[in-house]
Amino acid sequence: MIRYILRRILMMIPVMLGVTLIVFTMMYITPGDPAQIILGDNATPEAVAKLRAEMGLDDPFLVRYFRFVKDLLRGDLGICYATKQPVFDRLIQTFPNTVKLAAFAVVVSTIMGLSLGIISAAKQYSLFDNIAMLLAMMGNAMPNFWQGLLLMLVFSLWLGWLPASGFSSFKHMILPALTMGTSSAAVLARMTRSSMLEVIRADYISTARAKGQTEFKVIMHHAFRNAMIPVITTIGLQFGRQLGGAVLTESIFAIPGVGKMMVDAIKARNYPVVQGGVLLIALSLSIVNLVVDILYAYIDPRIKSQYK
Amino acid sequence: MERGRLRLIALLLCAVFLLVGCGGSGGETTTENGEAAPARDTLIVGMDREPAGLDPASSHVTTAVMIFNNIYDTLLAFDTDMQIQPRLAESYEQLDDVTYKFNLRKGVKFHNGEELKSSDVLFSFKRLYDIPAAQGQVDMIDPNGFECPDDYTFILRTKEPWSALPAQVCSSYMNILNEKAVTEAGEDYNRNPVGTGPFKFVSWTPGDSIVVERFDDYWGDKAILNKVVFRIITETTSRVIDLESGGLDIALAVGVTDVERLQNNPDFELIQFTHTGIRYGAFNCSKEIFSDKRVRQALNYATDVDTIFNVLYDNGLGAMRADSPVIPLLPGRNTDLPKYEYNPEKAKELLAEAGYPDGFSVEYNYLANTTNTRLGEMLQAQWAEVGVELIMSPLESATLTAALNAGEHDFCTANSTYALGDTIEGLYSFFHSSMHGTSRCRAFLSSPEIDALLDEARVEQDEERRLELAYKIQELIHEEAPWIYIAYEYYNVGLKSDVKGFVPAPNSAHDFSKVYIEP
Amino acid sequence: MGTNLNTVTSKPLPVYKKRSQGAEIWRRFRQNRNALLGMGIFFILVSFALFAEIIAPYDPIQQNYEKIMQPPSRQHILGTDELGRDIFSRIVYGARISMTVGLIAVGIAFVAGTALGVICGYYGGVIDNVIMRFVDILMAIPAILLNISIVAALGTGLQNVMIAIGVSNVPRFCRIIRASVMSLRDQEFIEASRAAGATDFFIIIDHIIPNSLAPLIVQATVSVGSSILQCASLSFIGLGIVPPTPEWGAMLSTGRDFLRKAPHLTTFPGLAIMAAVYAANLMGDGLRDALDPKLKR
């Protein structure tokens, strides 16, 4: 097992290098000149050319890429073109917000997904089952930015319960987390439902029923526990997805997160920030996936035996 | 066995969530002032863009200009009627064609306690030559012509006679910095500004807010508010909802569609003002098709600007109809220009005359926002009537800027401000052939006649004669038709009705020192 | 954003005789009311797309400045938009774009993902390792950022949007089919075929792919929905389909500026997107249940 984990961690290194190479290439072929953007509207072409040279933007692709990798290996992510801060600082400022948001969104989707899924499974093919699944999917089918604005209209403007935007207190997190959480509730609800259904048909459930336990007890004590295994991994994967998917929600709710920063950076050709941000998100996604895999192996000994 | 394992996993998961939650909520990312219920002496302003930095030489977006104006002072400054007034310089005089003498105010304190000396002015101006983003600002000023005869006198010289010098001194790039503060902070200065303005910088949470507080040793009338929080909310819809739901005291850059509702709501006030910009469509005259002025005129005739104006600006709720390249705020505006009335027949005639009886296709490069998209869709429908096909080609902002600067576009639209708030300087940057490839010059016009007049006007010292020339230049430009004038847009600011004393500045340098919240 | 109903169990299914299997699946599918609802919605949208000229009462790009942002009325059942165009007609024509984006983007992902996945699963070894690392790389970059960078690099427009969305969906298909190929490749009937002298190509086309199809179909179905959402997100960022082509995401994104003044500008395109994604998800779920005999009652 330890060997497996070590191998996975080692394997992340080429993957992360690959991520930087892909992002670097993509930024390279994208038109647009960071020097021009930094200098703004009033800059003379000479000044732009001079700055380009200073920034090393005129160097060939490979030279620039290897310079980047060399710095990276020394732990230097470069300096943000826009704010002149080290990219590392910018990530430290924004990443925790995104993590908080993603975690909260996962809590929301877990609560919604699990409850809808369990009830659906308990009452399979009932009207409730149908309605619950339809509801769960509603959040998934709605474009996030629209949903966010509607939530803001209802809960901030009309009801006045929650602040509309910003990220300075727990209250501020509710609407964005709801926006993001509802979109993955459906995945969890479906997973929970089908996993519960599988378990419910198992022999020991019939035994429990035969022993005369109440239906509620059967569902909660026996079925739910065993159905949780795939559900937990799904929750883990959702967390990873939310980390990378908070972009539009962050824009709508004015949250200083890493997603919004990245989109701004792509638009401004702020290469170091794009690189650093993608690398950080990719790394956290990989780590989350690894943790999920380890958990999964831990739960299911059959899988564990494959990890040699 | 099975049960124990599950419990462990559940615990692990909880631990991960908790860690994650705590790790984030360490507090370093929250502003002290994002709360919905502000203290009565704290003003919360929602703004549409985040400045890249607070070094006046680094950033020039409107919101940065606004914050600079509250943290720093310039030697001279535009008032809200775009008249030049003394600020840190009590007075100034022009000694000869190229020499200006500024008499500095005495006893002015920087936020770090240092006193303003002429050496700070010298330092603030000299450093601009070394900063690529600002070099254009000191193009006309002689780097060897500065003098500091004493601590309160400062002399500068222009390279050649240049009548826009006082306006240049008002530019936000020319804010006065403290030499010691800049030197000490080094690279960090961009995020730790020190000025002489009515507010001093407190904190900046990137992507979230910039906080400033009253500077008690301000040389002029001290600010009434204790604190101003500038929050960054880029989505217009969100910003206005935040204002209306009580999260903001002031929302900048309110959209046209929200104007009427806020006007009719007694809890809010809506202030509209013209800023120093004009919205226009520009033909790229360096492209073969548009090198013929008949084609440009034809498309002017083919455009029903009145309708476009009414649709885009809600029948005048959001802008004034443009009828000249010069904005109404500035002197020398020629209002006698004949209009290009909507006339598809005439347009077709002109096109046929120019050798395009069957029309042609034009690519429209733009940034995909609602205004540009609607504008393009309307032009597309209208030009189709005269056989011209407009191909919409949205680009993402960095690509667009590069393409426009390189003159790769056929046609584009823009909302440009007047350089230095000056008629001639503005026209020069839009139409002089030496400006090709710079950001305001989208039409790539090359007219020796216009060039000559602009050159003459630029050095002309006599204001009257300057305005005469401006008048003449506009006639020529109108005839050349490199632009389709569309509108002078209003800038809309929404305020809670208990916010008083906000007077908008056309150049976006809004002053918050006089603002207060009515108890 | 990036959350879609895309986690699909990748277990290969037992192989049945073809015809009876199809009939059996259809029987199970039919019993699922939600799936039928999804299919119903999907057919409506497809017929919008196919017969837009007949169904739409107005030209979707014909502007009418007299009738800007009118609320729904008898003449314009869903009202008019910010340039006086009939919203219903635009939604009908928009179905064409959204369906095209959904189907072609998924098609790209399906073909590329399947090809890569089959090669990985069938040959294993170094090729597998190399391709899978590449897939890991793609998966490690969040879909929306990948989409934005690809469109920024290639330029806006329908074609590039479809390529971007297609590329970001490749890894999922690849992983699904790889897993199912790996478990198939050592089964007896494959070995028998190989012993009989069949080429790899023949074995892949004739045996491996047909037998791995079930989870792929489910994935493809739900991916149509998520692609439509991805396309809408790109429009929000200003990198979507070029106007005046009526596209739901662009309509929704433009309409948000008028959210307060004329909510119908966003409501109807929003509902259209929801309906399409919904339909895809319901059908995907129904297919999944129908294809998985374990859930049979």
Side-chain angles (χ1 to χ4, degrees):
Chain A
M1 194 68 192
I2 301 282
R3 269 192 58 199
Y4 169 75
I5 295 172
L6 280 177
R7 215 183 66 206
R8 282 281 302 263
I9 291 175
L10 278 179
M11 229 142 73
M12 270 182 208
I13 297 172
V15 171
M16 289 304 121
L17 278 177
V19 167
T20 60
L21 182 62
I22 288 206
V23 176
F24 213 94
T25 315
M26 214 101 91
M27 290 282 103
Y28 184 78
I29 56 177
T30 306
D33 183 355
Q36 176 72 52
I37 296 163
I38 294 168
L39 298 185
D41 280 356
N42 300 330
T44 58
E46 297 78 43
V48 175
K50 194 168 155 234
L51 185 66
R52 276 189 66 84
E54 277 170 23
M55 290 163 69
L57 291 172
D58 294 328
D59 297 340
F61 174 78
L62 282 177
V63 174
R64 283 169 57 192
Y65 181 66
F66 282 117
R67 191 163 50 211
F68 167 77
V69 173
K70 212 174 76 193
D71 288 347
L72 182 67
L73 293 178
R74 284 188 289 139
D76 179 5
L77 286 171
I79 301 287
C80 167
Y81 289 168
T83 66
K84 309 283 188 293
Q85 291 170 291
V87 170
F88 188 77
D89 290 2
R90 294 215 62 191
L91 295 175
I92 290 288
Q93 286 158 350
T94 50
F95 192 58
N97 294 336
T98 303
V99 174
K100 264 199 279 185
L101 185 60
F104 199 18
V106 169
V107 171
V108 169
S109 69
T110 306
I111 294 172
M112 287 178 58
L114 285 191
S115 34
L116 286 173
I118 292 171
I119 302 173
S120 275
K123 312 234 179 242
Q124 194 191 4
Y125 297 137
S126 68
L127 184 64
F128 185 89
D129 177 16
N130 282 323
I131 291 176
M133 291 321 279
L134 286 176
L135 271 180
M137 280 189 211
M138 193 98 89
N140 179 266
M142 240 174 150
N144 262 6
F145 61 91
W146 184 45
Q147 188 188 4
L149 283 174
L150 291 184
L151 286 175
M152 203 188 278
L153 271 185
V154 173
F155 290 100
S156 305
L157 190 64
W158 295 340
L159 297 173
W161 291 350
L162 295 165
S165 68
F167 206 63
S168 46
S169 72
F170 178 72
K171 270 179 149 184
H172 287 89
M173 283 169 58
I174 298 177
L175 289 182
L178 215 55
T179 308
M180 284 163 64
T182 48
S183 63
S184 56
V187 186
L188 270 173
R190 213 208 48 238
M191 200 64 187
T192 312
R193 176 175 175 270
S194 56
S195 170
M196 290 277 290
L197 285 178
E198 254 176 66
V199 176
I200 281 174
R201 287 196 205 88
D203 291 343
Y204 59 94
I205 298 287
S206 316
T207 317
R209 279 207 182 108
K211 284 199 299 197
Q213 292 190 352
T214 61
E215 187 67 19
F216 180 77
K217 239 184 152 181
V218 171
I219 297 282
M220 289 319 286
H221 276 216
H222 297 278
F224 179 64
R225 277 170 194 278
N226 291 300
M228 276 313 285
I229 298 169
V231 174
I232 287 176
T233 60
T234 313
I235 292 175
L237 293 176
Q238 289 310 318
F239 179 66
R241 266 199 200 144
Q242 299 287 22
L243 272 184
V247 174
L248 299 194
T249 312
E250 286 174 358
S251 295
I252 289 286
F253 289 101
I255 297 166
V258 79
K260 185 163 173 282
M261 179 181 80
M262 297 276 307
V263 173
D264 291 345
I266 294 177
K267 284 185 181 167
R269 304 291 183 268
N270 195 338
Y271 302 148
V273 172
V274 177
Q275 287 287 355
V278 173
L279 199 60
L280 178 66
I281 293 180
L283 195 62
S284 26
L285 281 180
S286 304
I287 291 173
V288 169
N289 285 345
L290 177 61
V291 171
V292 169
D293 281 355
I294 294 170
L295 277 181
Y296 203 77
Y298 192 80
I299 300 165
D300 194 338
R302 282 171 303 174
I303 295 175
K304 194 175 173 181
S305 67
Q306 294 172 9
Y307 295 160
K308 289 278 166 58
Chain B
M1 174 65 200
E2 188 72 359
R3 182 184 280 200
R5 190 172 273 160
L6 270 173
R7 196 167 285 163
L8 192 90
I9 288 158
L11 267 175
L12 266 175
L13 264 179
C14 287
V16 167
F17 282 143
L18 273 177
L19 272 178
V20 152
C22 296
S25 55
E28 71 284 351
T29 54
T30 53
T31 49
E32 51 271 64
N33 286 294
E35 301 304 322
R40 290 282 78 186
D41 57 356
T42 297
L43 186 83
I44 301 179
V45 181
M47 59 183 191
D48 53 332
R49 283 184 76 174
E50 180 168 28
L54 291 179
D55 180 340
S58 74
S59 179
H60 205 70
V61 297
T62 52
T63 49
V65 171
M66 171 181 77
I67 294 175
F68 293 154
N69 189 49
N70 289 283
I71 298 183
Y72 296 103
D73 286 309
T74 40
L75 292 182
L76 306 173
F78 283 113
D79 64 13
T80 49
D81 298 320
M82 294 303 280
Q83 299 301 312
I84 293 172
Q85 303 292 347
R87 183 74 73 87
L88 285 182
E90 264 173 339
S91 62
Y92 75 99
E93 54 195 304
Q94 188 172 359
L95 302 179
D96 57 48
D97 271 1
V98 296
T99 313
Y100 294 79
K101 180 176 139 203
F102 297 87
N103 303 309
L104 305 187
R105 214 171 273 279
K106 292 190 175 94
V108 174
K109 284 263 166 60
F110 281 103
H111 299 157
N112 62 356
E114 298 275 307
E115 205 195 324
L116 172 77
K117 303 242 169 64
S118 57
S119 59
D120 293 311
V121 180
L122 176 68
F123 170 78
S124 305
F125 289 3
K126 271 222 141 159
R127 72 194 282 268
L128 297 179
Y129 292 92
D130 302 325
I131 299 172
Q135 281 161 355
Q137 299 292 314
V138 282
D139 247 6
M140 299 290 285
I141 301 175
D142 181 1
N144 304 314
F146 298 123
E147 264 178 66
C148 301
D150 62 62
D151 277 355
Y152 302 102
T153 313
F154 179 74
I155 289 172
L156 69 71
R157 294 189 177 78
T158 53
K159 288 176 180 163
E160 50 190 276
W162 186 44
S163 43
L165 189 272
Q168 177 66 63
V169 172
C170 299
S171 148
S172 69
Y173 285 96
M174 312 287 275
N175 274 305
I176 307 306
L177 284 59
N178 179 243
E179 179 166 8
K180 196 169 143 226
V182 178
T183 326
E184 277 173 6
E187 280 284 306
D188 290 338
Y189 184 77
N190 216 4
R191 315 191 74 74
N192 294 290
V194 172
T196 57
F199 290 96
K200 61 181 178 197
F201 173 79
V202 177
S203 69
W204 182 349
T205 313
D208 185 68
S209 59
I210 294 173
V211 182
V212 298
E213 68 181 10
R214 178 173 53 222
F215 176 48
D216 288 319
D217 289 331
Y218 185 55
W219 56 268
D221 294 334
K222 296 185 189 18
I224 307 169
L225 291 162
N226 181 36
K227 215 174 232 183
V228 184
V229 179
F230 296 100
R231 285 192 48 207
I232 301 135
I233 307 174
T234 43
E235 272 291 307
T236 307
T237 318
S238 309
R239 198 163 55 247
V240 177
I241 291 178
D242 216 338
L243 173 73
E244 288 180 77
S245 60
L248 300 175
D249 296 306
I250 294 183
L252 301 174
V254 169
V256 184
T257 90
D258 295 309
V259 165
E260 213 168 359
R261 200 183 55 255
L262 287 178
Q263 277 174 341
N264 296 334
N265 187 335
D267 295 337
F268 298 97
E269 198 188 337
L270 189 106
I271 298 183
Q272 283 196 315
F273 59 96
T274 45
H275 71 155
T276 60
I278 173 170
R279 167 90 54 188
Y280 57 91
F283 304 107
N284 183 347
C285 307
S286 68
K287 288 273 166 117
E288 205 202 317
I289 289 178
F290 291 121
S291 60
D292 188 334
K293 83 176 172 196
R294 286 170 301 189
V295 177
R296 305 192 297 254
Q297 287 171 342
L299 288 183
N300 262 292
Y301 282 118
T303 310
D304 182 358
V305 182
D306 286 326
T307 301
I308 291 178
F309 174 79
N310 286 335
V311 171
L312 277 188
Y313 302 105
D314 220 342
N315 298 309
L317 210 56
M320 263 171 80
R321 169 81 159 83
D323 49 9
S324 148
V326 176
I327 54 174
L329 275 169
L330 296 179
R333 191 167 104 93
N334 186 338
T335 48
D336 305 328
L337 300 171
K339 248 173 138 184
Y340 287 104
E341 297 286 356
Y342 179 51
N343 188 345
E345 287 313 310
K346 183 145 187 188
K348 276 187 208 159
E349 273 169 38
L350 279 166
L351 284 176
E353 228 174 86
Y356 301 100
D358 304 321
F360 48 85
S361 39
V362 182
E363 195 173 330
Y364 169 39
N365 292 126
Y366 65 103
L367 184 71
N369 59 33
T370 308
T371 306
N372 287 340
T373 308
R374 292 170 87 195
L375 183 53
E377 285 176 311
M378 285 188 276
L379 287 173
Q380 190 176 48
Q382 292 172 0
W383 290 2
E385 308 264 309
V386 298
V388 173
E389 183 196 10
L390 185 79
I391 301 163
M392 309 262 298
S393 170
L395 296 174
E396 157 272 358
S397 59
T399 320
L400 180 69
T401 313
L404 296 184
N405 283 348
E408 286 161 11
H409 58 292
D410 295 333
F411 176 75
C412 72
T413 56
N415 189 21
S416 297
T417 54
Y418 260 71
L420 302 182
D422 181 272
T423 315
I424 294 296
E425 288 301 312
L427 291 173
Y428 189 90
S429 66
F430 294 136
F431 301 112
H432 196 276
S433 60
S434 70
M435 299 304 279
H436 289 185
T438 62
S439 70
R440 286 195 173 91
C441 180
R442 295 300 185 222
F444 286 84
L445 184 68
S446 307
S447 157
E449 201 181 350
I450 292 176
D451 281 0
L453 285 174
L454 280 169
D455 287 333
E456 187 188 341
R458 211 174 183 213
V459 298
E460 178 58 58
Q461 301 275 331
D462 178 44
E463 187 63 15
E464 200 123 317
R465 172 72 186 137
R466 247 182 134 229
L467 297 183
E468 260 170 45
L469 285 167
Y471 207 80
K472 183 86 209 303
I473 292 167
Q474 288 169 72
E475 262 170 26
L476 290 175
I477 290 170
H478 190 76
E479 168 69 19
E480 287 286 330
W483 279 8
I484 299 175
Y485 328 122
I486 298 168
Y488 312 117
E489 289 181 3
Y490 298 135
Y491 188 88
N492 309 311
V493 178
L495 307 91
K496 270 191 198 155
S497 51
D498 57 359
V499 175
K500 304 286 177 196
F502 179 82
V503 183
N507 57 355
S508 312
H510 315 306
D511 175 11
F512 283 92
S513 68
K514 311 260 183 314
V515 178
Y516 61 98
I517 303 174
E518 218 172 42
Chain C
M1 203 4 267
T3 328
N4 316 303
L5 291 176
N6 287 344
T7 25
V8 168
T9 40
S10 48
K11 293 171 217 154
L13 295 166
V15 186
Y16 297 101
K17 270 182 278 168
K18 271 183 187 162
R19 198 171 302 144
S20 66
Q21 187 195 8
E24 173 65 9
I25 291 168
W26 170 236
R27 193 186 62 76
R28 284 201 294 266
F29 187 83
R30 240 178 4 194
Q31 281 173 348
N32 185 335
R33 266 172 289 178
N34 284 355
L36 283 181
L37 173 66
M39 202 164 75
I41 299 174
F42 195 75
F43 273 129
I44 293 176
L45 294 177
V46 167
S47 48
F48 275 8
L50 291 178
F51 308 113
E53 285 84 357
I54 303 168
I55 296 170
Y58 296 89
D59 179 348
I61 58 170
Q62 180 62 51
Q63 302 167 3
N64 185 342
Y65 306 133
E66 313 287 304
K67 287 187 175 176
I68 283 175
M69 289 193 257
Q70 286 186 348
S73 64
R74 194 172 289 173
Q75 282 154 336
H76 299 277
I77 54 170
L78 302 183
T80 57
D81 76 354
E82 75 282 355
L83 290 175
R85 297 170 295 201
D86 181 53
I87 292 181
F88 178 66
S89 305
R90 286 179 72 73
I91 284 181
V92 170
Y93 275 88
R96 188 172 281 179
I97 302 299
S98 290
M99 291 291 144
T100 313
V101 170
L103 294 175
I104 296 193
V106 171
I108 293 172
F110 190 101
V111 172
T114 307
L116 291 176
V118 167
I119 294 171
C120 284
Y122 191 79
Y123 294 102
V126 180
I127 301 182
D128 178 34
N129 230 318
V130 170
I131 296 181
M132 285 319 285
R133 290 301 78 72
F134 181 71
V135 167
D136 284 346
I137 291 168
L138 280 187
M139 280 198 103
I141 305 174
I144 183 146
L145 293 179
L146 197 58
N147 288 343
I148 294 173
S149 340
I150 295 177
V151 176
L154 300 180
T156 47
L158 184 61
Q159 190 187 332
N160 295 337
V161 167
M162 292 188 300
I163 292 175
I165 297 174
V167 168
S168 64
N169 276 304
V170 166
R172 291 208 188 92
F173 285 91
C174 181
R175 286 170 77 117
I176 289 169
I177 194 148
R178 174 175 173 269
S180 83
V181 171
M182 279 172 96
S183 65
L184 277 172
R185 99 187 136 183
D186 298 325
Q187 284 190 10
E188 284 153 20
F189 72 101
I190 303 279
E191 304 219 341
S193 181
R194 197 174 290 142
T199 59
D200 283 354
F201 184 76
F202 176 82
I203 292 173
I204 289 172
I205 295 292
D206 219 50
H207 296 303
I208 303 267
I209 291 185
N211 282 293
S212 324
L213 218 49
L216 277 182
I217 290 173
V218 175
Q219 176 67 49
T221 315
V222 291
S223 293
V224 169
S226 61
S227 304
I228 292 172
L229 279 178
Q230 283 179 309
C231 180
S233 302
L234 278 175
S235 287
F236 175 87
I237 297 170
L239 295 174
I241 309 290
V242 177
T245 315
E247 192 266 325
W248 297 338
M251 291 167 73
L252 186 58
S253 169
T254 311
R256 79 181 193 275
D257 283 8
F258 310 98
L259 185 68
R260 309 288 298 286
K261 191 174 185 178
H264 65 277
L265 258 61
T266 42
T267 308
F268 297 118
L271 288 175
I273 293 177
M274 270 178 79
V277 180
Y278 214 42
N281 287 346
L282 289 175
M283 278 173 33
D285 260 14
L287 275 174
R288 191 190 336 260
D289 289 354
L291 289 167
D292 189 349
K294 266 188 295 176
L295 287 179
K296 200 165 41 163
R297 267 203 121 143

